[in-house]
Amino acid sequence: MRVFITGASGWIGTPTVAELVGEGHEVVGLARSDGAAAKIEAAGGTVRRGDLDDLDGLRAAAAEADAVIHLAFKHDTAFSPESFAAAAESDRAAIETIGGELAGSDRAFVVASGTGTAAPGRVATEEDGHERNPHFVGGLQIRWDNAEWTLALASRQVRSSVVRLAPTNHGDGDQGFMKQIIDTARERGVSAYVGDGTNRWPAVHRLDTARLVRLVVEGAPAGSTLHAVGEEGVELGAVAAVIGRHLDLPTESIPAERAMEHFGFPGVLLSFDVPASSALTRELMDWGPTRPGLLADLDEGHYFVESTD
């Protein structure tokens, strides 16, 4: 297949390009900078210059592809309610443009979403989160709409799927939540967790996610929701303990009302209990994690090597 990927130079996108190329697919990745283009080429893909706001370019790329994977999101600007809503609107325009081009073709369209809002407080399954939540507003509501609109493309002859990503896709080189939490521990002199530390986050190694995305674009049924989850729920108190041990720092509980003050933006999420299952995904796609879990990956030590740049 010729597969067009947005977000192809990103944390999940780069290994996804390599996965697809390794299985004999031709990959075209969207790049908005020379640096992004170099990452795509290094992974074995070819480059199409542009960004999410270039709707004509997205439409043309989709027209030339046998399948499309949409991983891009304006994470770099989405750090306030207003900017997150604007990023979600941009995401909506991109999804509707690509989906409209693919309609009637039976081609695959895979869109990334998240597990965190499917069923907070209990183990969410792939069947959860498809009913409108009255508490969703702004960008959160738009993101939910985007995922459900994608799934509905199945009725328009698109082999559409939504892959919900765990909040942490860990691995060597991670600059996401785990790296931010470790940086905060260094700065504050304490490895903190919120409340009693029993709140859980699902986790997965990014290479396991990339393999699932490849399997989904190759063969998931139309209208499928998949969970890229290796571990249903890792207690964040246990994460803080590993960080404290590696940095030789004490661990400390902080109340939820101080989480933003202590952690900054990640503090919004660190009090959430959002475990998620991938049992249905594993059965449907014959997939399962083969890489280390989060605590084992942290214990390998690469997260604690300070940059010399």
Side-chain angles (χ1 to χ4, degrees):
M1 286 192 296
R2 178 183 172 92
V3 184
F4 173 59
I5 306 182
T6 72
S9 63
W11 180 239
I12 304 301
T14 303
T16 299
V17 172
E19 267 282 335
L20 288 162
V21 170
E23 292 298 315
H25 300 292
E26 177 187 356
V27 178
V28 178
L30 185 68
R32 62 178 178 172
S33 69
D34 292 343
K39 289 181 181 179
I40 294 167
E41 290 174 341
T46 58
V47 173
R48 184 183 184 97
R49 296 303 288 257
D51 57 34
L52 288 186
D53 295 322
D54 178 12
L55 299 182
D56 288 339
L58 294 180
R59 186 179 296 107
E64 297 168 357
D66 300 310
V68 178
I69 300 172
H70 177 53
L71 300 176
F73 189 76
K74 294 182 177 180
H75 293 287
D76 54 343
T77 63
F79 291 112
S80 73
E82 296 79 13
S83 59
F84 182 77
E89 286 285 8
S90 176
D91 192 47
R92 188 210 304 267
I95 289 171
E96 291 181 352
T97 297
I98 294 168
E101 180 60 40
L102 297 177
S105 70
D106 291 315
R107 286 176 285 171
F109 184 26
V110 181
V111 170
S113 181
T115 63
T117 58
R122 62 178 176 83
V123 179
T125 77
E126 295 87 339
E127 295 176 339
D128 288 314
H130 298 292
E131 298 295 325
R132 186 173 294 275
N133 188 325
H135 301 294
F136 286 0
V137 296
L140 204 57
Q141 179 62 58
I142 298 167
R143 287 281 272 173
W144 181 87
D145 287 340
N146 293 349
E148 294 303 307
W149 191 89
T150 301
L151 294 175
L153 285 169
S155 67
R156 299 173 60 190
Q157 291 182 268
V158 179
R159 188 163 60 82
S160 59
S161 301
V162 169
V163 176
R164 291 175 177 165
L165 305 178
T168 181
N169 276 255
H170 53 87
D172 195 356
D174 181 11
Q175 298 297 309
F177 286 124
M178 287 301 117
K179 175 65 161 52
Q180 294 172 47
I181 293 167
I182 290 166
D183 287 347
T184 298
R186 280 198 175 99
E187 293 165 8
R188 299 280 188 168
V190 61
S191 180
Y193 55 89
V194 179
D196 64 5
T198 60
N199 53 309
R200 299 156 292 172
W201 272 15
V204 66
H205 197 284
R206 70 158 180 158
L207 298 182
D208 286 322
T209 295
R211 182 163 49 87
L212 176 60
V213 173
R214 190 256 301 169
L215 291 171
V216 170
V217 78
E218 287 177 340
S224 298
T225 299
L226 299 311
H227 279 187
V229 169
E231 297 172 284
E232 286 190 359
V234 181
E235 291 189 356
L236 295 186
V239 171
V242 174
I243 293 171
R245 175 159 46 81
H246 277 270
L247 297 180
D248 195 22
L249 294 174
T251 59
E252 176 184 304
S253 168
I254 60 172
E257 58 269 23
R258 284 191 50 223
M260 276 283 286
E261 173 193 338
H262 184 89
F263 289 104
F265 176 74
V268 176
L269 308 174
L270 287 173
S271 61
F272 291 177
D273 184 44
V274 287
S277 167
S278 58
L280 297 178
T281 297
R282 295 180 191 219
E283 181 179 358
L284 181 65
M285 303 309 305
D286 191 23
W287 170 87
T290 62
R291 303 286 174 164
L294 175 57
L295 298 183
D297 199 13
L298 287 168
D299 258 334
E300 288 187 1
H302 53 79
Y303 271 97
F304 305 98
V305 178
E306 294 191 74
S307 173
T308 57
D309 293 343

